Amino acid sequence: MIAAMNWYHYFLFFLVLATLAASVLYSIRYRTRRDPQTKRIEAAKMNISMGFMLIFVALTQFTLFDPSFLRGAIGAVFLLLGLFNAYAGFKNYSSYKKSSH
């Protein structure tokens, strides 16, 4: 039986939904922009929000469900992918912002 959800489970769920919405928003904005520089900035923002979404999904895997090796391995993969996406997004965003000014 599933244990009662604590406040941080709801908070993680909210963060996953918020970063998912941000990823979708930046994806749409990326596809509708015509200027290459603006497209790159929107793609960087999309990577940042997608990275944080994957990090929050990994934290959900680690805290919400009963621990198992498979769940931990999947959570670790999501965490690593999220950290890489967020890092690459921040790096690209700072690079593109510098070159646009």
Side-chain angles (χ1 to χ4, degrees):
M1 179 168 245
I2 297 176
M5 291 179 64
N6 295 327
W7 66 270
Y8 54 87
H9 295 140
Y10 290 109
F11 185 65
L12 279 174
F13 182 69
F14 171 76
L15 290 175
V16 169
L17 289 181
T19 52
L20 173 63
S23 296
V24 170
L25 172 72
Y26 291 128
S27 176
I28 291 169
R29 289 175 67 176
Y30 167 76
R31 285 165 176 70
T32 58
R33 300 294 189 241
R34 298 204 185 276
D35 177 41
Q37 185 66 21
T38 307
K39 283 182 78 118
R40 287 187 206 112
I41 290 172
E42 296 299 332
K45 291 177 184 178
M46 182 178 58
N47 276 348
I48 293 167
S49 59
M50 204 175 301
F52 278 107
M53 181 184 65
L54 287 169
I55 291 168
F56 296 141
V57 168
L59 292 175
T60 302
Q61 290 294 312
F62 293 142
T63 61
L64 185 57
F65 302 104
D66 292 332
S68 72
F69 175 76
L70 182 60
R71 191 171 307 280
I74 292 171
V77 169
F78 280 9
L79 182 63
L80 290 174
L81 284 172
L83 289 171
F84 176 75
N85 246 6
Y87 172 75
F90 279 120
K91 182 178 171 192
N92 291 338
Y93 182 78
S94 65
S95 170
Y96 298 148
K97 276 302 220 184
K98 283 180 191 173
S99 66
S100 71
H101 291 299

